[in-house]
Amino acid sequence: MSTLSGEVFYPDPAFATHADDEALRAAAAADPEGFWAARAAELGWYKPWDKVLDRSNAPFFKWFTGGSTNIVYNCIDRHLTGPYKNKLALIWVGENGVDQQTYSYFSLNREVTRMANIIKAMGVGKGDKVTIYLPRIPEVIFAMLACAKLGAVHSVIFAGFSADALQDRISDSESKLVITADGSWVNGGIFKLKDIVDEALRFSPSVENVIVVKRTGHEVVMDPLRDHWYHDLTALPIAKGNCPTEPMDAEDTLFILYTSGSTGKPKAILHTHGGYMVGTYTTLKYTFDIRDEDRWWCTADPGWITGHSYLVYGPLLNGATSFMFEGGPTYPYPNRWWQLIEYHGITTLYTAPTAIRLLMRFGDAWPNRHDLSSLRLLGSVGEPINPEAWHWFHQVIGRGKCPIMDTWWQTETGMFQICPTPSMPLKPGSGGKPFFGQEAEILDEQGNVVADGEEGFLVLKNPWPAMLRTLYNDDARYVQTYWSKYPGKYLAGDSARRDADGYFWVIGRTDDVIKVSGHRLGSAEVESALVSHPAVAEAAAIGLPHDIKGNSIHVFVVLKMGIEPTPLLAEELRKHVSIHLSPIAKPDAIDFTEKLPKTRSGKIMRRVLKARAQGLDEGDLTTLES
Ligand code: 6R9
């Protein structure tokens, strides 16, 4: 171990499982399917699978074929007959710090059953799509699990997206039902979710019903035929009684989740009951050493994959206690998170570098006011963590003794792909090694493995249970996006390096995905929001490095003939993006330009714009349109 190069942090002897972990790693490398079958056998199945992995129609891989289960059976039902029945499944704290709710596995079952009964009575069944547009309140979890329990497919939309974005996603999924709230609390103010839903539904004919959870209590307009208050529905006889968990084929769809890609409209990543369940259960268990007495806090929103896999499903599959906080890290003061950790005895904090950088800026005095000694592990996700933030997180929050699990993965992968184990020596900024059973490579343009230390395209070599099965309604784009550059290997869309110790260092996206404060957005979405403004002829959006947000959005705009560029118009365009796509997508800067650099085939050369915006050499412009 002493041979590891660079800055290395050796594990606390309390995590004395290194030999076990490495034995498991070796066994999984020798027989990945055997490894996954053994993990799947730790969970409950109505009917065992016939085959662990079916490669016959690759890259449309199938896992645990012939098996029957339901992720809710494993998240809730099986815990009800054992010692976990009265264990806390969820601790929730509202933004005001006063509202608090706790749910044991028993009471979580009651809530999920109630919601399942209601949506079933509305005609939602196996395979139907349900859009969930809710803030971080317990009902978002109930709604996801209620859908899964019935075999319905949930499509959770981050409650920071605006009407156009919501409408696109509702229409694309042909949802019959939308579950939302009157509003959400954002730094003491109200974000009017129901108004946004009303706007979105003007063009979404598939939606028959809207369930509205009362959260903010401000006045909203209710359509008497379409909209229903959740608290009214729960009082009806339809809400009562048992609701059986639907047995699902392992390959049946659990959810779709829209995410940004390189071009065009967002794509819906499709995940299934069986493989996703086994993958999220296993990765959380081994990477974060989940123990019965833990209080696990994943700060992500359920609107993103991290919330799906490691706030909702992974912890419940492990019988853990999951903590959810409605608010953000700095309201009303930047000690909010530290206060919650102390008060609730959080043992594991899994968050994003952007939040760490933000909190770090407020100095050590805020965390130092609190006793953070309950923490035993920390985690990072969403973007590369810079060494400065890593050290602060490690020293000030983790008091030098909590290992940091830097987990690299994606909406598409469903579960961690490159991550350490708590017993492994850590290198700040590196996610460590591929998870058990996985192999990764760094390739050059031609598909050759590059030398250690060199940058190249990150690919995954082995199929894994929680992999996306396809893009909903777009098999061709699935093959094209992930499997065509290097046949047989999954193209992640990130550039990375591998060092001589076999540790991977992810650098960033190679496509037009922009990570802003850990939120995944695409150049194309920002551009289409801009061109929907009457003054804009053409637009190009790029991500530029930003100290706190990781990336900030910078746009170049060509105005229609005769329209004068003014600071007022720039401000109006920024607002336009905020209203039509999301406040998180609001550009930091707008550059008016006469013309966008394009290739001869008409593709915008964002590389050139990036260089121009940063005052760098614009590089090889030979393919530029003359
Ligand atoms: C889980 C999630 C995926 C993209 C991914 C990469 C970046 C995520 C990272 C990381 C470096 C990490 N990313 N985790 N980069 N280190 N630990 O974030 O999913 O929203 O789909 O984004 O995020 O660029 O390709 P998603």
Side-chain angles (χ1 to χ4, degrees):
M1 229 163 284
S2 54
T3 57
L4 282 177
S5 60
E7 190 187 10
V8 180
F9 284 80
Y10 289 92
D12 188 312
F15 297 101
T17 55
H18 194 58
D20 297 348
D21 288 350
E22 291 313 299
L24 208 53
R25 188 184 298 282
D31 177 14
E33 289 176 38
F35 169 78
W36 287 115
R39 304 290 79 75
E42 294 169 14
L43 295 163
W45 297 76
Y46 299 120
K47 175 177 169 288
W49 56 91
D50 304 321
K51 206 169 171 15
V52 178
L53 171 61
D54 176 358
R55 298 172 177 265
S56 60
N57 190 25
F60 298 95
F61 296 96
K62 290 186 174 146
W63 283 84
F64 308 111
T65 52
S68 169
T69 188
N70 185 309
I71 198 166
V72 172
Y73 173 77
N74 283 294
C75 284
I76 300 179
D77 303 9
R78 75 184 174 122
H79 299 315
L80 300 177
T81 50
Y84 288 18
K85 178 178 174 186
N86 294 319
K87 185 179 170 177
L88 287 185
L90 176 66
I91 304 172
W92 173 81
V93 176
E95 192 193 60
N96 61 13
V98 177
D99 300 346
Q100 265 190 47
Q101 287 168 27
T102 53
Y103 298 90
S104 64
Y105 277 90
F106 175 82
S107 47
L108 178 64
N109 180 57
R110 183 189 59 224
E111 297 299 329
V112 171
T113 300
R114 203 151 73 146
M115 194 169 301
N117 276 328
I118 291 168
I119 66 175
K120 191 176 183 178
M122 289 179 167
V124 172
K126 216 173 188 167
D128 289 331
K129 315 293 183 301
V130 175
T131 292
I132 300 174
Y133 183 66
L134 279 168
R136 270 196 305 281
I137 55 176
E139 285 79 1
V140 67
I141 298 181
F142 307 158
M144 291 166 74
L145 295 168
C147 289
K149 189 175 174 68
L150 298 174
V153 175
H154 60 69
S155 166
V156 185
I157 314 293
F158 175 57
F161 276 115
S162 311
D164 295 4
L166 178 62
Q167 189 247 312
D168 279 352
R169 289 158 173 79
I170 292 174
S171 304
D172 188 75
S173 64
E174 298 182 310
S175 290
K176 290 170 77 163
L177 170 69
V178 174
I179 307 178
T180 189
D182 49 356
S184 64
W185 290 111
V186 180
N187 298 336
I190 293 175
F191 189 68
K192 295 186 175 170
L193 296 176
K194 176 63 167 56
D195 287 3
I196 293 174
V197 170
D198 289 342
E199 175 78 22
L201 291 192
R202 293 201 299 154
F203 307 99
S204 308
S206 63
V207 175
E208 296 161 6
N209 289 293
V210 177
I211 296 178
V212 187
V213 177
K214 187 171 252 177
R215 175 63 191 132
T216 45
H218 70 283
E219 205 162 316
V220 295
V221 179
M222 297 288 280
D223 176 328
L225 295 177
R226 189 196 66 189
D227 302 344
H228 318 270
W229 284 111
Y230 186 55
H231 57 263
D232 289 342
L233 296 170
T234 54
L236 298 176
I238 51 160
K240 307 233 159 27
N242 189 27
C243 177
T245 303
E246 190 71 31
M248 302 296 286
D249 187 282
E251 281 293 313
D252 278 340
T253 307
L254 169 62
F255 66 85
I256 54 174
L257 182 57
Y258 286 88
T259 192
S260 306
S262 255
T263 51
K265 56 176 189 156
K267 49 197 181 185
I269 306 292
L270 188 147
H271 285 288
T272 58
H273 272 260
Y276 178 81
M277 167 180 96
V278 175
T280 52
Y281 160 75
T282 307
T283 44
L284 185 61
K285 175 173 165 168
Y286 288 103
T287 308
F288 282 98
D289 179 38
I290 291 289
R291 297 182 188 175
D292 270 347
E293 62 277 21
D294 274 340
R295 287 189 164 189
W296 160 264
W297 183 7
C298 165
T299 65
D301 190 281
W304 305 99
I305 192 66
T306 307
H308 279 61
S309 299
Y310 299 110
L311 170 63
V312 182
Y313 289 113
L316 297 176
L317 288 166
N318 278 282
T321 299
S322 201
F323 180 80
M324 180 163 78
F325 174 50
E326 184 183 27
T330 55
Y331 176 81
Y333 300 108
N335 66 330
R336 190 31 107 57
W337 280 13
W338 319 131
Q339 202 176 34
L340 288 167
I341 289 169
E342 178 175 10
Y343 189 85
H344 293 279
I346 302 297
T347 56
T348 320
L349 176 69
Y350 182 46
T351 190
T354 180
I356 300 165
R357 288 192 297 262
L358 174 71
L359 290 163
M360 187 171 110
R361 214 178 50 154
F362 292 98
D364 300 1
W366 290 106
N368 287 347
R369 269 168 54 180
H370 298 277
D371 176 4
L372 303 180
S373 60
S374 59
L375 287 173
R376 61 182 196 92
L377 273 166
L378 299 171
S380 173
V381 61
E383 48 176 326
I385 180 163
N386 49 311
E388 207 192 349
W390 197 99
H391 286 116
W392 188 80
F393 201 30
H394 189 247
Q395 281 309 321
V396 180
I397 307 308
R399 300 157 335 279
K401 71 178 184 84
C402 302
I404 300 176
M405 300 297 103
D406 180 355
T407 59
W408 176 87
W409 59 295
Q410 310 174 301
T411 308
E412 291 87 340
T413 70
M415 66 184 221
F416 307 151
Q417 290 299 309
I418 296 177
C419 57
T421 59
S423 65
M424 192 169 127
L426 301 172
K427 301 187 183 196
S430 165
K433 297 183 177 179
F435 188 75
F436 303 149
Q438 187 52 284
E439 284 175 81
E441 274 176 354
I442 311 292
L443 304 181
D444 66 14
E445 196 59 51
Q446 287 71 42
N448 307 307
V449 177
V450 304
D452 282 343
E454 274 180 32
E455 185 176 343
F457 296 97
L458 174 63
V459 297
L460 300 172
K461 285 178 69 179
N462 295 338
W464 61 98
M467 64 196 302
L468 77 164
R469 294 303 190 264
T470 189
L471 298 176
Y472 173 63
N473 277 344
D474 205 345
D475 287 348
R477 190 170 170 202
Y478 165 70
V479 177
Q480 160 65 25
T481 310
Y482 306 104
W483 303 96
S484 65
K485 188 171 173 84
Y486 307 113
K489 293 175 184 175
Y490 171 85
L491 178 73
D494 277 311
S495 78
R497 290 183 288 121
R498 197 191 99 121
D499 69 18
D501 301 318
Y503 281 53
F504 284 78
W505 302 72
V506 173
I507 297 160
R509 299 288 308 190
T510 54
D511 55 12
D512 299 316
V513 167
I514 310 175
K515 274 295 191 85
V516 182
S517 302
H519 302 315
R520 179 165 164 179
L521 298 167
S523 297
E525 289 161 278
V526 180
E527 289 158 7
S528 78
L530 279 164
V531 295
S532 73
H533 188 282
V536 177
E538 261 192 308
I542 54 168
L544 291 183
H546 186 279
D547 281 352
I548 291 173
K549 297 196 278 189
N551 275 295
S552 65
I553 297 178
H554 191 112
V555 299
F556 290 84
V557 169
V558 180
L559 292 173
K560 286 194 181 143
M561 288 275 269
I563 296 180
E564 281 302 307
T566 62
L568 207 64
L569 180 58
E571 192 44 40
E572 187 180 317
L573 293 179
R574 295 179 66 231
K575 267 204 205 121
H576 186 81
V577 175
S578 175
I579 292 167
H580 289 269
L581 179 55
S582 167
I584 54 175
K586 195 170 180 178
D588 275 29
I590 303 235
D591 260 356
F592 292 109
T593 176
E594 294 285 305
K595 195 170 163 200
L596 296 173
K598 290 189 188 161
T599 60
R600 286 194 191 98
S601 60
K603 271 184 77 177
I604 297 171
M605 295 185 82
R606 297 198 182 82
R607 173 177 62 79
V608 174
L609 292 171
K610 254 185 208 178
R612 188 177 295 173
Q614 293 174 289
L616 303 171
D617 175 11
E618 294 187 10
D620 178 11
L621 303 181
T622 46
T623 55
L624 217 60
E625 173 192 65
S626 51

PDB file of all heavy atoms in Angstrom, residues 24 89 227 268 336 379 459-460 475 527 543 564 591:
ATOM      1  N   LEU A  24     -13.596  -9.717  -2.133  1.00  0.00           N
ATOM      2  CA  LEU A  24     -14.842  -9.611  -2.881  1.00  0.00           C
ATOM      3  C   LEU A  24     -14.568  -9.034  -4.275  1.00  0.00           C
ATOM      4  O   LEU A  24     -15.131  -9.468  -5.275  1.00  0.00           O
ATOM      5  CB  LEU A  24     -15.800  -8.696  -2.111  1.00  0.00           C
ATOM      6  CG  LEU A  24     -17.285  -8.937  -2.310  1.00  0.00           C
ATOM      7  CD1 LEU A  24     -17.653 -10.386  -2.066  1.00  0.00           C
ATOM      8  CD2 LEU A  24     -18.079  -8.028  -1.372  1.00  0.00           C
ATOM      9  N   ALA A  89     -37.684   4.628   8.922  1.00  0.00           N
ATOM     10  CA  ALA A  89     -37.295   4.571   7.514  1.00  0.00           C
ATOM     11  C   ALA A  89     -36.927   5.968   7.039  1.00  0.00           C
ATOM     12  O   ALA A  89     -36.015   6.154   6.250  1.00  0.00           O
ATOM     13  CB  ALA A  89     -38.445   4.024   6.684  1.00  0.00           C
ATOM     14  N   ASP A 227     -58.490  18.473 -10.852  1.00  0.00           N
ATOM     15  CA  ASP A 227     -57.562  18.636  -9.727  1.00  0.00           C
ATOM     16  C   ASP A 227     -58.172  18.177  -8.401  1.00  0.00           C
ATOM     17  O   ASP A 227     -59.342  18.472  -8.121  1.00  0.00           O
ATOM     18  CB  ASP A 227     -57.171  20.112  -9.585  1.00  0.00           C
ATOM     19  CG  ASP A 227     -56.537  20.675 -10.855  1.00  0.00           C
ATOM     20  OD1 ASP A 227     -56.133  19.876 -11.717  1.00  0.00           O
ATOM     21  OD2 ASP A 227     -56.455  21.915 -10.976  1.00  0.00           O
ATOM     22  N   ALA A 268     -35.295  10.263 -22.110  1.00  0.00           N
ATOM     23  CA  ALA A 268     -35.825   9.594 -20.926  1.00  0.00           C
ATOM     24  C   ALA A 268     -35.070   8.295 -20.709  1.00  0.00           C
ATOM     25  O   ALA A 268     -35.166   7.358 -21.498  1.00  0.00           O
ATOM     26  CB  ALA A 268     -37.309   9.319 -21.104  1.00  0.00           C
ATOM     27  N   ARG A 336     -27.024  25.641   8.729  1.00  0.00           N
ATOM     28  CA  ARG A 336     -28.214  24.807   8.740  1.00  0.00           C
ATOM     29  C   ARG A 336     -27.902  23.304   8.686  1.00  0.00           C
ATOM     30  O   ARG A 336     -28.381  22.501   9.491  1.00  0.00           O
ATOM     31  CB  ARG A 336     -29.112  25.222   7.575  1.00  0.00           C
ATOM     32  CG  ARG A 336     -30.498  24.620   7.595  1.00  0.00           C
ATOM     33  CD  ARG A 336     -31.004  24.368   8.961  1.00  0.00           C
ATOM     34  NE  ARG A 336     -32.022  25.193   9.486  1.00  0.00           N
ATOM     35  CZ  ARG A 336     -33.224  25.443   9.000  1.00  0.00           C
ATOM     36  NH1 ARG A 336     -33.575  25.008   7.832  1.00  0.00           N
ATOM     37  NH2 ARG A 336     -34.083  26.147   9.643  1.00  0.00           N
ATOM     38  N   GLY A 379     -19.570  11.593   1.590  1.00  0.00           N
ATOM     39  CA  GLY A 379     -19.632  11.197   0.181  1.00  0.00           C
ATOM     40  C   GLY A 379     -19.777  12.395  -0.722  1.00  0.00           C
ATOM     41  O   GLY A 379     -20.272  13.449  -0.315  1.00  0.00           O
ATOM     42  N   VAL A 459     -14.732   4.557 -20.774  1.00  0.00           N
ATOM     43  CA  VAL A 459     -15.737   3.550 -21.148  1.00  0.00           C
ATOM     44  C   VAL A 459     -15.856   2.503 -20.046  1.00  0.00           C
ATOM     45  O   VAL A 459     -14.914   2.275 -19.279  1.00  0.00           O
ATOM     46  CB  VAL A 459     -15.398   2.819 -22.475  1.00  0.00           C
ATOM     47  CG1 VAL A 459     -15.377   3.782 -23.646  1.00  0.00           C
ATOM     48  CG2 VAL A 459     -14.094   2.042 -22.374  1.00  0.00           C
ATOM     49  N   LEU A 460     -17.026   1.879 -19.989  1.00  0.00           N
ATOM     50  CA  LEU A 460     -17.261   0.777 -19.059  1.00  0.00           C
ATOM     51  C   LEU A 460     -17.343  -0.505 -19.877  1.00  0.00           C
ATOM     52  O   LEU A 460     -17.979  -0.526 -20.936  1.00  0.00           O
ATOM     53  CB  LEU A 460     -18.561   1.002 -18.290  1.00  0.00           C
ATOM     54  CG  LEU A 460     -18.606   2.291 -17.462  1.00  0.00           C
ATOM     55  CD1 LEU A 460     -20.008   2.515 -16.903  1.00  0.00           C
ATOM     56  CD2 LEU A 460     -17.579   2.246 -16.330  1.00  0.00           C
ATOM     57  N   ASP A 475     -34.932   3.480 -29.084  1.00  0.00           N
ATOM     58  CA  ASP A 475     -33.876   2.464 -29.042  1.00  0.00           C
ATOM     59  C   ASP A 475     -32.677   2.864 -29.901  1.00  0.00           C
ATOM     60  O   ASP A 475     -31.526   2.617 -29.536  1.00  0.00           O
ATOM     61  CB  ASP A 475     -34.416   1.120 -29.555  1.00  0.00           C
ATOM     62  CG  ASP A 475     -35.361   0.462 -28.561  1.00  0.00           C
ATOM     63  OD1 ASP A 475     -35.433   0.918 -27.398  1.00  0.00           O
ATOM     64  OD2 ASP A 475     -36.043  -0.511 -28.953  1.00  0.00           O
ATOM     65  N   GLU A 527     -30.381  26.672 -25.392  1.00  0.00           N
ATOM     66  CA  GLU A 527     -30.488  27.341 -26.694  1.00  0.00           C
ATOM     67  C   GLU A 527     -31.932  27.382 -27.168  1.00  0.00           C
ATOM     68  O   GLU A 527     -32.403  28.398 -27.674  1.00  0.00           O
ATOM     69  CB  GLU A 527     -29.609  26.616 -27.720  1.00  0.00           C
ATOM     70  CG  GLU A 527     -28.131  26.853 -27.432  1.00  0.00           C
ATOM     71  CD  GLU A 527     -27.217  25.792 -28.023  1.00  0.00           C
ATOM     72  OE1 GLU A 527     -27.705  24.925 -28.775  1.00  0.00           O
ATOM     73  OE2 GLU A 527     -26.005  25.829 -27.719  1.00  0.00           O
ATOM     74  N   GLY A 543     -20.664  25.839 -21.183  1.00  0.00           N
ATOM     75  CA  GLY A 543     -20.373  25.858 -19.755  1.00  0.00           C
ATOM     76  C   GLY A 543     -18.953  26.355 -19.545  1.00  0.00           C
ATOM     77  O   GLY A 543     -18.038  25.919 -20.243  1.00  0.00           O
ATOM     78  N   GLU A 564     -31.530  45.856 -31.608  1.00  0.00           N
ATOM     79  CA  GLU A 564     -30.306  46.378 -31.012  1.00  0.00           C
ATOM     80  C   GLU A 564     -29.945  45.626 -29.735  1.00  0.00           C
ATOM     81  O   GLU A 564     -30.803  45.437 -28.870  1.00  0.00           O
ATOM     82  CB  GLU A 564     -30.506  47.859 -30.637  1.00  0.00           C
ATOM     83  CG  GLU A 564     -30.392  48.818 -31.804  1.00  0.00           C
ATOM     84  CD  GLU A 564     -29.043  48.709 -32.498  1.00  0.00           C
ATOM     85  OE1 GLU A 564     -28.006  48.807 -31.813  1.00  0.00           O
ATOM     86  OE2 GLU A 564     -29.035  48.487 -33.733  1.00  0.00           O
ATOM     87  N   ASP A 591     -23.471  37.147 -24.427  1.00  0.00           N
ATOM     88  CA  ASP A 591     -22.638  37.875 -25.392  1.00  0.00           C
ATOM     89  C   ASP A 591     -23.430  38.002 -26.682  1.00  0.00           C
ATOM     90  O   ASP A 591     -23.832  36.990 -27.250  1.00  0.00           O
ATOM     91  CB  ASP A 591     -21.382  37.036 -25.717  1.00  0.00           C
ATOM     92  CG  ASP A 591     -20.186  37.510 -24.958  1.00  0.00           C
ATOM     93  OD1 ASP A 591     -20.312  38.516 -24.249  1.00  0.00           O
ATOM     94  OD2 ASP A 591     -19.128  36.850 -25.070  1.00  0.00           O
TER      95      ASP A 591
END
